[in-house]
């Protein structure tokens, strides 16, 4: 494998690692919960989350099902977020004009301000938990798949976008809802 392909492969593993970590944290699972649900070993799950594993397709399918995330979000990254945002932004702006703002309770807002200032893996976990609470506050659906994917996308919106996360969170929430509706 040449250096360019190797670098791309490493980036894909890191994308998977972030998505699996966010999805697990969003559901409040620890590694042992995933071991019970998926039948994978704790070291396998841990190395996938660290981006140091070469996961099998079987492992990815088991994690995807257990964590209730779409194929697209399993392989999601910052470049895809920016690309999709550019495609969907006109629709998003129309959505914002015609719909009420996302309701973010003050306690969650303060927590997001604090955690989004320093982007660390520990804060990623906090961000996704806050986003889960916000999504559940705003989404009337009881569809766990929809809630989970909207949560992950909202968290990625906060993490990936650097120009103010109020808009990011709204965009992430909207994008997650739209993405799942388009792909069901």
């Amino acid at each position: 494998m040449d250096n360019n392909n190797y670098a791309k492969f490493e980036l894909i593993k890191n994308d998977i690692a972030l998505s699996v970590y966010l999805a697990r944290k969003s559901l409040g699972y620890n590694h042992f919960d995933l071991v019970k649900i998926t039948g994978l070993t704790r070291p396998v799950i841990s190395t996938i989350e660290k981006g140091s594993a070469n996961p099998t397709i079987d492992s990815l399918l088991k994690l995807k099902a257990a964590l209730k995330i779409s194929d697209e979000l399993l392989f999601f990254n910052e470049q895809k977020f920016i690309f999709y945002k550019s495609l969907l932004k006109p629709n998003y702006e129309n959505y914002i004009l015609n719909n009420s703002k996302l309701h973010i309770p003050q306690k969650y807002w303060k927590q997001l301000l604090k955690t989004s200032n320093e982007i660390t893996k520990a804060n990623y976990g906090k961000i996704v938990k806050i986003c889960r609470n916000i999504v559940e506050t705003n989404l009337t659906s009881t569809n766990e798949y929809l809630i989970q994917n909207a949560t992950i996308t909202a968290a990625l919106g906060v993490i990936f976008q650097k120009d103010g996360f109020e808009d990011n969170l709204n965009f992430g929430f909207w994008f997650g809802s739209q993405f799942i509706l388009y792909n069901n």
Side-chain angles (χ1 to χ4, degrees):
M1 183 182 300
D2 66 27
N3 286 342
N4 192 29
N5 285 332
Y6 179 76
K8 287 179 185 176
F9 183 65
E10 290 300 308
L11 289 174
I12 291 169
K13 290 190 324 186
N14 289 330
D15 298 340
I16 292 168
L18 178 60
S19 294
V20 168
Y21 177 76
L22 292 176
R24 179 176 66 80
K25 287 293 190 179
S26 172
L27 291 169
Y29 291 169
N30 61 37
H31 287 158
F32 296 109
D33 295 327
L34 280 182
V35 167
K36 290 177 198 169
I37 297 167
T38 64
L40 300 172
T41 66
R42 187 181 177 289
V44 166
I45 293 167
S46 180
T47 56
I48 289 172
E49 269 192 18
K50 290 177 184 172
S52 57
N54 294 326
T56 66
I57 293 172
D58 183 58
S59 297
L60 292 177
L61 291 173
K62 287 177 179 179
L63 285 170
K64 186 178 105 49
L67 297 171
K68 301 172 183 69
I69 55 176
S70 68
D71 294 336
E72 184 67 21
L73 285 179
L74 184 63
F75 298 98
F76 209 71
N77 60 34
E78 187 170 3
Q79 290 74 29
K80 286 182 184 176
F81 184 86
I82 291 167
F83 173 73
Y84 282 126
K85 180 185 170 195
S86 70
L87 290 179
L88 296 172
K89 191 167 172 91
N91 291 330
Y92 170 65
E93 289 166 349
N94 187 49
Y95 168 83
I96 291 299
L97 290 174
N98 294 310
N99 292 282
S100 61
K101 284 280 194 182
L102 187 64
H103 174 67
I104 304 177
Q106 188 172 10
K107 69 177 182 174
Y108 298 145
W109 184 250
K110 287 179 180 178
Q111 291 170 343
L112 278 175
L113 279 173
K114 185 178 177 184
T115 55
S116 66
N117 285 332
E118 185 181 343
I119 300 299
T120 63
K121 191 167 183 179
N123 279 351
Y124 286 171
K126 293 175 186 174
I127 287 167
V128 78
K129 287 178 185 177
I130 297 165
C131 289
R132 175 95 186 187
N133 291 330
I134 292 168
V135 166
E136 288 176 342
T137 299
N138 286 274
L139 198 62
T140 57
S141 174
T142 58
N143 181 331
E144 180 64 29
Y145 185 75
L146 175 63
I147 292 168
Q148 179 69 346
N149 285 269
T151 297
I152 303 303
T153 312
L156 291 170
V158 173
I159 292 167
F160 288 151
Q161 210 166 316
K162 312 294 189 263
D163 56 350
F165 70 81
E166 178 181 11
D167 184 53
N168 300 335
L169 184 63
N170 282 319
F171 183 82
F173 175 79
W174 176 82
F175 175 73
S177 299
Q178 295 299 311
F179 181 79
I180 299 308
L181 293 175
Y182 292 146
N183 286 292
N184 269 347

